[in-house]
């Protein structure tokens, strides 16, 4: 059993999870809590290289199972290099996306099957599941409007059509029902300050329960 605490943040495009994730990480550090922040796909050099292959807009020919395997490969490397050592050292790991993204995006939205994608990820993560997951729930149209307002380049998955993003949302709902004891849903359509406050309370209470 690891000594630290593994907390993941999930949601569709424009759910605001990355902003909230960073806020929580900074606030934990300010409280003197030994925490690390990381993200998927990526977080370490090999995994970032895999991220670039997956998200490159050039790779329109990518097969859906190839995509699922690449996410799992990137996850494995990130787990071994970053997450497991941090948990062993007793740290709180704040991670922007993890296995539930693969279940919702590849398992459900890409129609591979949630159970099939779970199997390849089981091989990749070796039973290291998050202790707590926050799901940032926002209407698909609201989320997509937020990302188009950012004015940043859109990656290969951002560019999927709106039906795909609706399927991702449905996929997340199914995953949330599958793991009610682990995943907590937050209404991410609220003002960002309110979402941050609510998410921080949940995280800090879980950390206090762990000591
Ligand atoms: P990001 O926008 O949060 O950086 O994530 C990059 C994209 O990768 C996003 O569209 C969600 C997608 N993704 C998957 O499809 N499966 C996964 O397992 C992960 C971690 C991300």
């Amino acid at each position: 059993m690891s000594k630290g605490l593994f907390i993941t943040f999930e949601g569709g495009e424009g759910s605001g999870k990355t902003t909230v994730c960073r806020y929580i990480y900074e606030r934990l550090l300010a409280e003197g809590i030994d925490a690390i922040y990381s993200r998927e796909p990526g977080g370490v050099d090999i995994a970032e290289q895999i991220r670039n292959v997956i998200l490159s807009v050039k790779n329109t020919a990518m097969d859906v199972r190839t995509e699922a395997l690449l996410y799992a490969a990137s996850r494995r490397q990130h787990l071994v290099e970053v997450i497991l050592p941090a948990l062993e050292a007793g740290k709180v790991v704040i991670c922007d996306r993890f296995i539930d993204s693969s279940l919702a995006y590849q398992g459900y939205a890409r129609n591979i099957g949630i159970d099939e994608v779970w199997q390849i990820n089981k091989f990749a993560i070796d039973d290291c599941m998050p202790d707590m997951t926050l799901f940032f729930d926002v209407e698909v149209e609201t989320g997509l409007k937020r990302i188009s307002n950012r004015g940043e380049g859109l990656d290969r998955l951002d560019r999927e059509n709106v039906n795909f993003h609706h399927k991702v949302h449905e996929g997340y709902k199914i995953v949330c029902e599958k793991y009610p004891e682990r995943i907590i849903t937050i209404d991410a359509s609220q003002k960002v300050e309110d979402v941050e406050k609510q998410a921080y309370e949940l995280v800090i209470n879980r950390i206090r329960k762990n000591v």
Side-chain angles (χ1 to χ4, degrees):
M1 269 304 269
S2 63
K3 295 174 282 184
L5 200 62
F6 184 22
I7 304 177
T8 59
F9 292 69
E10 294 283 353
E13 315 305 319
S15 62
K17 67 175 171 40
T18 303
T19 308
V20 178
C21 219
R22 290 199 149 275
Y23 166 85
I24 287 176
Y25 167 66
E26 298 291 340
R27 206 164 152 192
L28 292 179
L29 289 188
E31 293 286 332
I33 292 167
D34 198 1
I36 65 155
Y37 165 84
S38 200
R39 69 152 185 189
E40 282 205 353
V44 287
D45 187 40
I46 294 173
E48 290 287 340
Q49 291 180 48
I50 300 173
R51 176 187 176 98
N52 291 338
V53 174
I54 302 173
L55 297 181
S56 167
V57 291
K58 282 195 312 206
N59 291 335
T60 48
M62 190 178 293
D63 170 72
V64 293
R65 289 186 182 217
T66 306
E67 182 184 278
L69 289 163
L70 287 174
Y71 277 116
S74 145
R75 177 159 303 128
R76 173 71 192 169
Q77 192 64 31
H78 180 235
L79 184 82
V80 169
E81 279 197 66
V82 177
I83 298 176
L84 291 178
L87 292 175
E88 277 305 312
K91 297 181 191 212
V92 175
V93 175
I94 299 292
C95 192
D96 188 345
R97 297 196 183 278
F98 193 62
I99 188 169
D100 302 306
S101 288
S102 282
L103 301 180
Y105 281 78
Q106 283 67 51
Y108 191 78
R110 295 282 197 220
N111 292 317
I112 298 175
I114 290 178
D115 289 341
E116 284 76 359
V117 172
W118 163 252
Q119 289 305 327
I120 59 166
N121 275 277
K122 200 162 170 276
F123 176 71
I125 68 172
D126 219 3
D127 282 342
C128 181
M129 283 295 278
D131 296 297
M132 178 168 85
T133 298
L134 302 185
F135 168 57
F136 292 81
D137 191 10
V138 72
E139 285 285 320
V140 170
E141 283 75 10
T142 310
L144 292 179
K145 210 151 112 205
R146 286 180 184 164
I147 62 168
S148 75
N149 288 344
R150 275 185 210 153
E152 294 165 3
L154 300 181
D155 65 38
R156 192 171 60 82
L157 272 88
D158 294 332
R159 289 181 184 199
E160 286 289 341
N161 67 29
V162 69
N163 292 340
F164 175 78
H165 295 290
H166 275 286
K167 284 207 76 179
V168 169
H169 191 248
E170 274 170 43
Y172 267 126
K173 293 283 183 187
I174 294 169
V175 173
C176 288
E177 275 173 27
K178 214 170 145 83
Y179 300 104
E181 68 300 331
R182 172 173 63 84
I183 308 180
I184 302 169
T185 298
I186 293 186
D187 174 5
S189 65
Q190 306 171 84
K191 279 200 314 225
V192 67
E193 299 77 31
D194 294 339
V195 179
E196 283 173 346
K197 197 163 162 252
Q198 207 179 324
Y200 183 75
E201 285 305 314
L202 288 164
V203 169
I204 199 74
N205 287 338
R206 184 66 182 76
I207 292 172
R208 288 188 184 126
K209 236 175 75 185
N210 212 42
V211 273

